[in-house]
Amino acid sequence: MSRAEYVWGAKNYLAGFGMGEVRLYGEYRERFPWRSLASIASRMGKTYGMIFKFKTHKNGKRTITRLI
């Protein structure tokens, strides 16, 4: 299995979240793959202390929340 191509702007997209902000994934037809965003968010947590929560709800909708 090959790796997905890096998409420029994903870090800026996540950095644009305010503390406690929740965004519905797919609402604006994001060009960033879900797993790639989760991976970048994890790295941002280690580097900058920003903590994100990625959740898939029972109805199939996905949300991204910035906790810290």
Side-chain angles (χ1 to χ4, degrees):
M1 175 187 250
S2 64
R3 292 174 47 161
E5 182 179 332
Y6 181 78
V7 179
W8 288 97
K11 191 184 284 188
N12 287 334
Y13 172 75
L14 290 171
F17 278 67
M19 290 259 262
E21 183 177 354
V22 179
R23 291 188 191 172
L24 184 60
Y25 179 80
E27 186 174 33
Y28 300 107
R29 301 179 63 92
E30 283 86 2
R31 60 188 178 132
F32 311 115
W34 177 256
R35 290 300 311 148
S36 294
L37 282 177
S39 177
I40 293 167
S42 176
R43 266 187 274 129
M44 288 177 75
K46 293 173 186 168
T47 306
Y48 306 111
M50 300 172 79
I51 305 297
F52 293 89
K53 178 181 176 184
F54 287 73
K55 182 169 183 170
T56 302
H57 301 272
K58 289 182 181 179
N59 60 7
K61 296 194 182 224
R62 292 175 162 178
T63 57
I64 305 170
T65 307
R66 179 177 171 196
L67 303 175
I68 296 175

Short mmCIF file of all heavy atoms in Angstrom, two decimals:
data_model
loop_
_atom_site.label_atom_id
_atom_site.label_comp_id
_atom_site.label_asym_id
_atom_site.label_seq_id
_atom_site.Cartn_x
_atom_site.Cartn_y
_atom_site.Cartn_z
N MET A 1 0.85 -1.17 0.00
CA MET A 1 0.00 0.00 0.00
C MET A 1 0.90 1.24 0.00
O MET A 1 1.82 1.35 0.79
CB MET A 1 -0.89 -0.02 1.24
CG MET A 1 -1.72 1.21 1.41
SD MET A 1 -2.61 1.22 2.97
CE MET A 1 -4.24 1.00 2.38
N SER A 2 0.65 2.16 -0.90
CA SER A 2 1.46 3.37 -0.97
C SER A 2 0.89 4.45 -0.05
O SER A 2 -0.28 4.43 0.31
CB SER A 2 1.53 3.89 -2.40
OG SER A 2 0.24 4.26 -2.82
N ARG A 3 1.75 5.37 0.31
CA ARG A 3 1.34 6.47 1.17
C ARG A 3 0.58 7.51 0.37
O ARG A 3 0.83 7.72 -0.81
CB ARG A 3 2.57 7.10 1.80
CG ARG A 3 3.25 6.20 2.79
CD ARG A 3 4.52 6.77 3.29
NE ARG A 3 4.36 8.16 3.68
CZ ARG A 3 5.19 8.80 4.47
NH1 ARG A 3 6.23 8.19 4.95
NH2 ARG A 3 5.00 10.07 4.78
N ALA A 4 -0.32 8.20 1.06
CA ALA A 4 -1.07 9.28 0.41
C ALA A 4 -0.14 10.47 0.18
O ALA A 4 0.78 10.71 0.96
CB ALA A 4 -2.25 9.69 1.27
N GLU A 5 -0.38 11.20 -0.86
CA GLU A 5 0.41 12.38 -1.18
C GLU A 5 0.11 13.47 -0.15
O GLU A 5 -1.03 13.66 0.27
CB GLU A 5 0.04 12.88 -2.58
CG GLU A 5 0.84 14.07 -3.01
CD GLU A 5 0.45 14.51 -4.41
OE1 GLU A 5 0.02 13.67 -5.20
OE2 GLU A 5 0.58 15.70 -4.70
N TYR A 6 1.15 14.19 0.29
CA TYR A 6 0.96 15.28 1.24
C TYR A 6 0.20 16.42 0.57
O TYR A 6 0.48 16.77 -0.58
CB TYR A 6 2.31 15.79 1.75
CG TYR A 6 2.17 16.89 2.76
CD1 TYR A 6 1.83 16.60 4.07
CD2 TYR A 6 2.32 18.21 2.40
CE1 TYR A 6 1.67 17.61 5.01
CE2 TYR A 6 2.17 19.24 3.32
CZ TYR A 6 1.85 18.92 4.62
OH TYR A 6 1.68 19.93 5.55
N VAL A 7 -0.75 16.97 1.28
CA VAL A 7 -1.54 18.08 0.75
C VAL A 7 -1.16 19.34 1.52
O VAL A 7 -1.29 19.39 2.74
CB VAL A 7 -3.06 17.80 0.91
CG1 VAL A 7 -3.87 18.95 0.37
CG2 VAL A 7 -3.43 16.52 0.20
N TRP A 8 -0.67 20.35 0.82
CA TRP A 8 -0.28 21.60 1.45
C TRP A 8 -1.48 22.30 2.06
O TRP A 8 -2.56 22.32 1.49
CB TRP A 8 0.37 22.53 0.42
CG TRP A 8 1.72 22.07 0.01
CD1 TRP A 8 2.02 21.35 -1.11
CD2 TRP A 8 2.94 22.22 0.73
NE1 TRP A 8 3.36 21.06 -1.13
CE2 TRP A 8 3.95 21.58 -0.02
CE3 TRP A 8 3.28 22.83 1.92
CZ2 TRP A 8 5.27 21.55 0.39
CZ3 TRP A 8 4.60 22.80 2.33
CH2 TRP A 8 5.57 22.17 1.57
N GLY A 9 -1.28 22.86 3.25
CA GLY A 9 -2.32 23.66 3.90
C GLY A 9 -3.03 22.96 5.03
O GLY A 9 -3.82 23.59 5.74
N ALA A 10 -2.78 21.68 5.24
CA ALA A 10 -3.48 20.95 6.30
C ALA A 10 -3.11 21.49 7.68
O ALA A 10 -3.97 21.62 8.56
CB ALA A 10 -3.17 19.46 6.22
N LYS A 11 -1.84 21.82 7.88
CA LYS A 11 -1.41 22.35 9.17
C LYS A 11 -2.07 23.71 9.42
O LYS A 11 -2.53 24.00 10.53
CB LYS A 11 0.11 22.48 9.22
CG LYS A 11 0.63 22.79 10.62
CD LYS A 11 2.12 23.02 10.65
CE LYS A 11 2.89 21.74 10.56
NZ LYS A 11 4.34 21.94 10.77
N ASN A 12 -2.14 24.54 8.39
CA ASN A 12 -2.80 25.85 8.53
C ASN A 12 -4.29 25.68 8.82
O ASN A 12 -4.88 26.45 9.58
CB ASN A 12 -2.61 26.69 7.28
CG ASN A 12 -1.20 27.21 7.15
OD1 ASN A 12 -0.49 27.36 8.14
ND2 ASN A 12 -0.77 27.45 5.93
N TYR A 13 -4.92 24.69 8.19
CA TYR A 13 -6.33 24.41 8.43
C TYR A 13 -6.56 24.09 9.91
O TYR A 13 -7.45 24.64 10.54
CB TYR A 13 -6.79 23.24 7.55
CG TYR A 13 -8.17 22.72 7.85
CD1 TYR A 13 -9.30 23.43 7.47
CD2 TYR A 13 -8.35 21.52 8.55
CE1 TYR A 13 -10.58 22.96 7.76
CE2 TYR A 13 -9.61 21.04 8.83
CZ TYR A 13 -10.72 21.76 8.44
OH TYR A 13 -11.97 21.29 8.74
N LEU A 14 -5.72 23.21 10.46
CA LEU A 14 -5.87 22.84 11.87
C LEU A 14 -5.50 24.00 12.79
O LEU A 14 -6.14 24.20 13.83
CB LEU A 14 -5.01 21.62 12.18
CG LEU A 14 -5.48 20.31 11.56
CD1 LEU A 14 -4.43 19.22 11.75
CD2 LEU A 14 -6.82 19.87 12.14
N ALA A 15 -4.49 24.78 12.43
CA ALA A 15 -4.07 25.91 13.25
C ALA A 15 -5.16 26.99 13.30
O ALA A 15 -5.20 27.79 14.24
CB ALA A 15 -2.77 26.51 12.72
N GLY A 16 -6.06 26.98 12.34
CA GLY A 16 -7.15 27.95 12.29
C GLY A 16 -8.28 27.67 13.28
O GLY A 16 -9.19 28.48 13.43
N PHE A 17 -8.24 26.53 13.95
CA PHE A 17 -9.26 26.21 14.94
C PHE A 17 -9.05 27.05 16.20
O PHE A 17 -7.93 27.18 16.68
CB PHE A 17 -9.15 24.74 15.36
CG PHE A 17 -9.82 23.75 14.44
CD1 PHE A 17 -9.35 23.54 13.16
CD2 PHE A 17 -10.91 23.02 14.87
CE1 PHE A 17 -9.94 22.63 12.32
CE2 PHE A 17 -11.51 22.10 14.04
CZ PHE A 17 -11.03 21.91 12.76
N GLY A 18 -10.12 27.57 16.76
CA GLY A 18 -10.06 28.25 18.05
C GLY A 18 -10.20 27.21 19.16
O GLY A 18 -10.66 26.10 18.93
N MET A 19 -9.80 27.58 20.37
CA MET A 19 -9.93 26.66 21.51
C MET A 19 -11.40 26.30 21.70
O MET A 19 -12.26 27.17 21.74
CB MET A 19 -9.40 27.33 22.78
CG MET A 19 -7.92 27.48 22.74
SD MET A 19 -7.14 26.24 23.70
CE MET A 19 -6.85 27.15 25.19
N GLY A 20 -11.68 25.00 21.76
CA GLY A 20 -13.04 24.52 21.96
C GLY A 20 -13.88 24.49 20.70
O GLY A 20 -15.04 24.09 20.74
N GLU A 21 -13.32 24.89 19.58
CA GLU A 21 -14.07 24.93 18.32
C GLU A 21 -14.30 23.51 17.78
O GLU A 21 -13.41 22.68 17.81
CB GLU A 21 -13.33 25.76 17.28
CG GLU A 21 -14.09 25.89 15.97
CD GLU A 21 -13.38 26.76 14.95
OE1 GLU A 21 -12.35 27.38 15.27
OE2 GLU A 21 -13.88 26.81 13.81
N VAL A 22 -15.50 23.29 17.29
CA VAL A 22 -15.87 22.01 16.68
C VAL A 22 -16.25 22.27 15.23
O VAL A 22 -17.04 23.18 14.95
CB VAL A 22 -17.08 21.37 17.42
CG1 VAL A 22 -17.46 20.05 16.77
CG2 VAL A 22 -16.79 21.19 18.89
N ARG A 23 -15.69 21.49 14.32
CA ARG A 23 -16.04 21.61 12.90
C ARG A 23 -16.51 20.26 12.40
O ARG A 23 -15.95 19.23 12.74
CB ARG A 23 -14.85 22.06 12.07
CG ARG A 23 -14.42 23.48 12.33
CD ARG A 23 -13.38 23.93 11.36
NE ARG A 23 -12.78 25.19 11.77
CZ ARG A 23 -11.74 25.75 11.19
NH1 ARG A 23 -11.16 25.14 10.15
NH2 ARG A 23 -11.26 26.88 11.62
N LEU A 24 -17.54 20.31 11.58
CA LEU A 24 -18.06 19.11 10.95
C LEU A 24 -17.19 18.81 9.73
O LEU A 24 -17.07 19.65 8.83
CB LEU A 24 -19.51 19.32 10.53
CG LEU A 24 -20.26 18.14 9.95
CD1 LEU A 24 -20.31 16.98 10.95
CD2 LEU A 24 -21.66 18.56 9.56
N TYR A 25 -16.56 17.65 9.72
CA TYR A 25 -15.69 17.27 8.60
C TYR A 25 -16.55 16.96 7.39
O TYR A 25 -17.56 16.28 7.48
CB TYR A 25 -14.86 16.04 8.98
CG TYR A 25 -13.94 15.56 7.89
CD1 TYR A 25 -12.73 16.18 7.65
CD2 TYR A 25 -14.30 14.48 7.09
CE1 TYR A 25 -11.88 15.74 6.65
CE2 TYR A 25 -13.46 14.03 6.09
CZ TYR A 25 -12.26 14.66 5.87
OH TYR A 25 -11.43 14.23 4.88
N GLY A 26 -16.16 17.49 6.26
CA GLY A 26 -16.91 17.25 5.02
C GLY A 26 -17.94 18.31 4.73
O GLY A 26 -18.51 18.34 3.64
N GLU A 27 -18.18 19.20 5.68
CA GLU A 27 -19.18 20.25 5.49
C GLU A 27 -18.76 21.19 4.36
O GLU A 27 -19.58 21.68 3.61
CB GLU A 27 -19.36 21.03 6.79
CG GLU A 27 -20.47 22.04 6.75
CD GLU A 27 -20.70 22.68 8.11
OE1 GLU A 27 -19.74 22.85 8.87
OE2 GLU A 27 -21.85 22.99 8.40
N TYR A 28 -17.46 21.44 4.25
CA TYR A 28 -16.96 22.34 3.21
C TYR A 28 -16.15 21.58 2.17
O TYR A 28 -15.29 22.15 1.52
CB TYR A 28 -16.10 23.44 3.84
CG TYR A 28 -16.88 24.28 4.82
CD1 TYR A 28 -16.67 24.14 6.19
CD2 TYR A 28 -17.84 25.17 4.38
CE1 TYR A 28 -17.41 24.89 7.09
CE2 TYR A 28 -18.58 25.93 5.28
CZ TYR A 28 -18.35 25.78 6.64
OH TYR A 28 -19.08 26.52 7.52
N ARG A 29 -16.40 20.29 2.04
CA ARG A 29 -15.72 19.44 1.07
C ARG A 29 -14.20 19.58 1.20
O ARG A 29 -13.50 19.91 0.24
CB ARG A 29 -16.19 19.75 -0.34
CG ARG A 29 -17.68 19.55 -0.51
CD ARG A 29 -18.16 19.87 -1.90
NE ARG A 29 -17.58 19.02 -2.90
CZ ARG A 29 -18.11 17.89 -3.35
NH1 ARG A 29 -19.25 17.49 -2.89
NH2 ARG A 29 -17.51 17.18 -4.28
N GLU A 30 -13.71 19.33 2.42
CA GLU A 30 -12.28 19.44 2.69
C GLU A 30 -11.47 18.60 1.71
O GLU A 30 -11.87 17.50 1.36
CB GLU A 30 -11.95 18.97 4.12
CG GLU A 30 -12.29 19.97 5.18
CD GLU A 30 -13.73 19.88 5.64
OE1 GLU A 30 -14.47 19.03 5.17
OE2 GLU A 30 -14.13 20.69 6.47
N ARG A 31 -10.34 19.13 1.35
CA ARG A 31 -9.46 18.40 0.44
C ARG A 31 -8.45 17.58 1.21
O ARG A 31 -7.60 16.93 0.62
CB ARG A 31 -8.75 19.37 -0.50
CG ARG A 31 -7.90 20.37 0.22
CD ARG A 31 -7.38 21.43 -0.72
NE ARG A 31 -6.60 22.40 0.04
CZ ARG A 31 -5.41 22.82 -0.32
NH1 ARG A 31 -4.86 22.38 -1.42
NH2 ARG A 31 -4.77 23.68 0.42
N PHE A 32 -8.54 17.60 2.54
CA PHE A 32 -7.58 16.89 3.38
C PHE A 32 -8.17 15.55 3.82
O PHE A 32 -9.25 15.51 4.38
CB PHE A 32 -7.23 17.73 4.61
CG PHE A 32 -6.86 19.15 4.28
CD1 PHE A 32 -7.64 20.20 4.70
CD2 PHE A 32 -5.72 19.42 3.54
CE1 PHE A 32 -7.29 21.51 4.40
CE2 PHE A 32 -5.37 20.72 3.23
CZ PHE A 32 -6.16 21.77 3.66
N PRO A 33 -7.45 14.47 3.59
CA PRO A 33 -7.93 13.16 4.04
C PRO A 33 -8.01 13.10 5.57
O PRO A 33 -7.16 13.65 6.28
CB PRO A 33 -6.87 12.18 3.52
CG PRO A 33 -6.17 12.92 2.42
CD PRO A 33 -6.22 14.36 2.80
N TRP A 34 -9.03 12.45 6.06
CA TRP A 34 -9.30 12.33 7.50
C TRP A 34 -8.09 11.83 8.27
O TRP A 34 -7.68 12.42 9.27
CB TRP A 34 -10.51 11.41 7.68
CG TRP A 34 -10.92 11.10 9.08
CD1 TRP A 34 -10.69 9.94 9.75
CD2 TRP A 34 -11.64 11.94 9.96
NE1 TRP A 34 -11.23 10.00 11.00
CE2 TRP A 34 -11.83 11.23 11.16
CE3 TRP A 34 -12.17 13.23 9.86
CZ2 TRP A 34 -12.51 11.75 12.25
CZ3 TRP A 34 -12.84 13.76 10.96
CH2 TRP A 34 -13.00 13.02 12.13
N ARG A 35 -7.51 10.71 7.83
CA ARG A 35 -6.37 10.12 8.55
C ARG A 35 -5.14 11.00 8.49
O ARG A 35 -4.36 11.07 9.44
CB ARG A 35 -6.03 8.73 8.00
CG ARG A 35 -7.06 7.67 8.30
CD ARG A 35 -7.30 7.43 9.79
NE ARG A 35 -6.08 7.25 10.54
CZ ARG A 35 -5.91 7.62 11.81
NH1 ARG A 35 -6.89 8.18 12.47
NH2 ARG A 35 -4.78 7.45 12.42
N SER A 36 -4.95 11.72 7.40
CA SER A 36 -3.82 12.64 7.30
C SER A 36 -3.96 13.78 8.30
O SER A 36 -3.00 14.17 8.96
CB SER A 36 -3.71 13.22 5.89
OG SER A 36 -3.40 12.21 4.97
N LEU A 37 -5.17 14.31 8.42
CA LEU A 37 -5.41 15.38 9.40
C LEU A 37 -5.14 14.88 10.81
O LEU A 37 -4.53 15.59 11.62
CB LEU A 37 -6.85 15.89 9.30
CG LEU A 37 -7.16 16.84 8.17
CD1 LEU A 37 -8.65 17.18 8.17
CD2 LEU A 37 -6.34 18.11 8.25
N ALA A 38 -5.58 13.67 11.12
CA ALA A 38 -5.36 13.11 12.45
C ALA A 38 -3.87 12.96 12.74
O ALA A 38 -3.40 13.25 13.85
CB ALA A 38 -6.08 11.77 12.59
N SER A 39 -3.12 12.53 11.75
CA SER A 39 -1.68 12.36 11.91
C SER A 39 -0.98 13.70 12.13
O SER A 39 -0.13 13.84 13.01
CB SER A 39 -1.12 11.66 10.67
OG SER A 39 0.28 11.54 10.76
N ILE A 40 -1.35 14.69 11.34
CA ILE A 40 -0.76 16.02 11.47
C ILE A 40 -1.14 16.64 12.81
O ILE A 40 -0.31 17.27 13.48
CB ILE A 40 -1.18 16.91 10.28
CG1 ILE A 40 -0.55 16.38 9.00
CG2 ILE A 40 -0.81 18.38 10.52
CD1 ILE A 40 -1.13 16.97 7.73
N ALA A 41 -2.38 16.42 13.23
CA ALA A 41 -2.83 16.95 14.53
C ALA A 41 -2.03 16.33 15.67
O ALA A 41 -1.69 17.02 16.64
CB ALA A 41 -4.32 16.66 14.72
N SER A 42 -1.71 15.06 15.56
CA SER A 42 -0.91 14.40 16.58
C SER A 42 0.48 15.04 16.67
O SER A 42 0.99 15.31 17.76
CB SER A 42 -0.79 12.91 16.27
OG SER A 42 0.06 12.28 17.19
N ARG A 43 1.08 15.29 15.53
CA ARG A 43 2.41 15.93 15.51
C ARG A 43 2.35 17.35 16.06
O ARG A 43 3.26 17.80 16.75
CB ARG A 43 2.97 15.96 14.09
CG ARG A 43 3.87 14.77 13.82
CD ARG A 43 4.56 14.86 12.49
NE ARG A 43 3.65 14.29 11.48
CZ ARG A 43 3.31 14.88 10.35
NH1 ARG A 43 3.81 16.04 10.03
NH2 ARG A 43 2.48 14.30 9.52
N MET A 44 1.26 18.07 15.75
CA MET A 44 1.10 19.43 16.26
C MET A 44 0.95 19.41 17.79
O MET A 44 1.38 20.34 18.47
CB MET A 44 -0.10 20.11 15.61
CG MET A 44 0.14 20.47 14.16
SD MET A 44 -1.30 21.18 13.36
CE MET A 44 -1.30 22.82 14.06
N GLY A 45 0.35 18.36 18.31
CA GLY A 45 0.22 18.23 19.76
C GLY A 45 1.57 18.09 20.42
O GLY A 45 1.85 18.70 21.46
N LYS A 46 2.44 17.31 19.82
CA LYS A 46 3.78 17.10 20.37
C LYS A 46 4.65 18.34 20.21
O LYS A 46 5.47 18.66 21.08
CB LYS A 46 4.45 15.91 19.69
CG LYS A 46 3.78 14.60 20.02
CD LYS A 46 4.36 13.46 19.20
CE LYS A 46 3.54 12.20 19.47
NZ LYS A 46 3.83 11.14 18.53
N THR A 47 4.48 19.07 19.12
CA THR A 47 5.33 20.22 18.82
C THR A 47 4.81 21.50 19.48
O THR A 47 5.59 22.26 20.07
CB THR A 47 5.42 20.45 17.30
OG1 THR A 47 5.86 19.24 16.68
CG2 THR A 47 6.38 21.56 16.97
N TYR A 48 3.50 21.75 19.37
CA TYR A 48 2.93 23.03 19.81
C TYR A 48 1.99 22.92 21.00
O TYR A 48 1.52 23.94 21.49
CB TYR A 48 2.17 23.70 18.65
CG TYR A 48 3.00 23.86 17.40
CD1 TYR A 48 2.72 23.12 16.26
CD2 TYR A 48 4.06 24.75 17.35
CE1 TYR A 48 3.47 23.25 15.10
CE2 TYR A 48 4.82 24.90 16.19
CZ TYR A 48 4.52 24.15 15.09
OH TYR A 48 5.27 24.29 13.95
N GLY A 49 1.67 21.72 21.43
CA GLY A 49 0.77 21.54 22.57
C GLY A 49 -0.71 21.67 22.22
O GLY A 49 -1.56 21.73 23.10
N MET A 50 -1.03 21.68 20.91
CA MET A 50 -2.43 21.75 20.48
C MET A 50 -3.01 20.34 20.49
O MET A 50 -2.44 19.44 19.90
CB MET A 50 -2.53 22.34 19.07
CG MET A 50 -1.97 23.73 18.94
SD MET A 50 -1.90 24.29 17.23
CE MET A 50 -3.59 24.74 16.95
N ILE A 51 -4.14 20.16 21.16
CA ILE A 51 -4.75 18.84 21.27
C ILE A 51 -6.08 18.85 20.52
O ILE A 51 -6.93 19.71 20.74
CB ILE A 51 -5.00 18.45 22.74
CG1 ILE A 51 -3.69 18.54 23.54
CG2 ILE A 51 -5.61 17.06 22.83
CD1 ILE A 51 -2.59 17.61 23.09
N PHE A 52 -6.24 17.86 19.62
CA PHE A 52 -7.46 17.73 18.82
C PHE A 52 -8.13 16.40 19.12
O PHE A 52 -7.46 15.43 19.47
CB PHE A 52 -7.13 17.79 17.33
CG PHE A 52 -6.63 19.12 16.86
CD1 PHE A 52 -5.27 19.41 16.89
CD2 PHE A 52 -7.50 20.08 16.38
CE1 PHE A 52 -4.79 20.63 16.46
CE2 PHE A 52 -7.03 21.30 15.94
CZ PHE A 52 -5.68 21.59 15.99
N LYS A 53 -9.45 16.38 18.96
CA LYS A 53 -10.22 15.14 19.10
C LYS A 53 -10.93 14.89 17.77
O LYS A 53 -11.65 15.74 17.28
CB LYS A 53 -11.25 15.30 20.22
CG LYS A 53 -12.13 14.10 20.40
CD LYS A 53 -13.14 14.34 21.52
CE LYS A 53 -14.09 13.20 21.67
NZ LYS A 53 -15.11 13.50 22.69
N PHE A 54 -10.69 13.72 17.21
CA PHE A 54 -11.33 13.30 15.96
C PHE A 54 -12.36 12.24 16.30
O PHE A 54 -12.02 11.24 16.95
CB PHE A 54 -10.29 12.72 14.99
CG PHE A 54 -9.39 13.77 14.39
CD1 PHE A 54 -8.42 14.38 15.14
CD2 PHE A 54 -9.55 14.13 13.06
CE1 PHE A 54 -7.60 15.35 14.58
CE2 PHE A 54 -8.73 15.10 12.50
CZ PHE A 54 -7.76 15.72 13.26
N LYS A 55 -13.61 12.46 15.91
CA LYS A 55 -14.67 11.53 16.29
C LYS A 55 -15.58 11.23 15.11
O LYS A 55 -15.99 12.14 14.38
CB LYS A 55 -15.49 12.11 17.43
CG LYS A 55 -16.57 11.17 17.91
CD LYS A 55 -17.20 11.64 19.19
CE LYS A 55 -18.21 10.59 19.62
NZ LYS A 55 -18.71 10.82 20.93
N THR A 56 -15.89 9.95 14.94
CA THR A 56 -16.90 9.53 13.97
C THR A 56 -18.13 9.14 14.77
O THR A 56 -18.08 8.26 15.62
CB THR A 56 -16.40 8.33 13.13
OG1 THR A 56 -15.20 8.71 12.46
CG2 THR A 56 -17.45 7.91 12.11
N HIS A 57 -19.23 9.79 14.52
CA HIS A 57 -20.47 9.57 15.25
C HIS A 57 -21.25 8.40 14.65
O HIS A 57 -20.99 7.97 13.53
CB HIS A 57 -21.32 10.85 15.24
CG HIS A 57 -20.61 12.01 15.85
ND1 HIS A 57 -20.65 12.31 17.19
CD2 HIS A 57 -19.79 12.95 15.29
CE1 HIS A 57 -19.91 13.37 17.44
NE2 HIS A 57 -19.37 13.78 16.29
N LYS A 58 -22.22 7.91 15.41
CA LYS A 58 -23.01 6.75 14.96
C LYS A 58 -23.75 7.01 13.66
O LYS A 58 -23.99 6.10 12.88
CB LYS A 58 -24.02 6.36 16.05
CG LYS A 58 -23.37 5.74 17.25
CD LYS A 58 -24.39 5.32 18.28
CE LYS A 58 -23.69 4.73 19.49
NZ LYS A 58 -24.66 4.33 20.51
N ASN A 59 -24.09 8.27 13.40
CA ASN A 59 -24.81 8.61 12.16
C ASN A 59 -23.87 8.75 10.96
O ASN A 59 -24.29 9.10 9.88
CB ASN A 59 -25.63 9.88 12.35
CG ASN A 59 -24.78 11.08 12.70
OD1 ASN A 59 -23.56 11.03 12.70
ND2 ASN A 59 -25.44 12.18 13.01
N GLY A 60 -22.55 8.51 11.20
CA GLY A 60 -21.58 8.57 10.12
C GLY A 60 -20.91 9.92 9.94
O GLY A 60 -19.96 10.05 9.18
N LYS A 61 -21.41 10.93 10.64
CA LYS A 61 -20.80 12.25 10.54
C LYS A 61 -19.52 12.28 11.36
O LYS A 61 -19.39 11.59 12.36
CB LYS A 61 -21.76 13.33 11.01
CG LYS A 61 -22.98 13.41 10.13
CD LYS A 61 -23.75 14.67 10.36
CE LYS A 61 -24.96 14.62 9.46
NZ LYS A 61 -25.21 15.84 8.81
N ARG A 62 -18.57 13.09 10.91
CA ARG A 62 -17.28 13.19 11.59
C ARG A 62 -17.07 14.63 12.06
O ARG A 62 -17.39 15.58 11.33
CB ARG A 62 -16.15 12.81 10.64
CG ARG A 62 -16.17 11.36 10.27
CD ARG A 62 -15.11 11.05 9.26
NE ARG A 62 -14.84 9.62 9.22
CZ ARG A 62 -13.99 9.04 8.40
NH1 ARG A 62 -13.30 9.76 7.55
NH2 ARG A 62 -13.82 7.74 8.43
N THR A 63 -16.51 14.76 13.26
CA THR A 63 -16.21 16.08 13.80
C THR A 63 -14.75 16.13 14.25
O THR A 63 -14.17 15.13 14.65
CB THR A 63 -17.11 16.44 14.98
OG1 THR A 63 -16.99 15.44 16.00
CG2 THR A 63 -18.56 16.59 14.58
N ILE A 64 -14.21 17.34 14.17
CA ILE A 64 -12.87 17.62 14.68
C ILE A 64 -13.03 18.73 15.70
O ILE A 64 -13.64 19.76 15.42
CB ILE A 64 -11.92 18.10 13.56
CG1 ILE A 64 -11.88 17.09 12.42
CG2 ILE A 64 -10.53 18.36 14.12
CD1 ILE A 64 -11.15 17.59 11.18
N THR A 65 -12.50 18.51 16.90
CA THR A 65 -12.59 19.47 17.98
C THR A 65 -11.19 19.81 18.46
O THR A 65 -10.37 18.94 18.68
CB THR A 65 -13.39 18.87 19.17
OG1 THR A 65 -14.64 18.41 18.71
CG2 THR A 65 -13.59 19.91 20.27
N ARG A 66 -10.93 21.09 18.64
CA ARG A 66 -9.66 21.49 19.26
C ARG A 66 -9.92 21.65 20.76
O ARG A 66 -10.73 22.48 21.17
CB ARG A 66 -9.14 22.80 18.69
CG ARG A 66 -7.84 23.19 19.38
CD ARG A 66 -7.21 24.43 18.84
NE ARG A 66 -6.12 24.84 19.69
CZ ARG A 66 -5.55 26.01 19.68
NH1 ARG A 66 -5.95 26.91 18.81
NH2 ARG A 66 -4.58 26.30 20.50
N LEU A 67 -9.26 20.82 21.55
CA LEU A 67 -9.45 20.85 22.99
C LEU A 67 -8.55 21.89 23.66
O LEU A 67 -8.99 22.62 24.55
CB LEU A 67 -9.19 19.47 23.59
CG LEU A 67 -10.06 18.33 23.00
CD1 LEU A 67 -9.63 17.01 23.57
CD2 LEU A 67 -11.52 18.60 23.27
N ILE A 68 -7.28 21.92 23.28
CA ILE A 68 -6.32 22.85 23.90
C ILE A 68 -5.57 23.57 22.78
O ILE A 68 -5.19 23.01 21.81
CB ILE A 68 -5.30 22.09 24.79
CG1 ILE A 68 -6.03 21.44 25.94
CG2 ILE A 68 -4.22 23.03 25.28
CD1 ILE A 68 -5.15 20.58 26.82
#
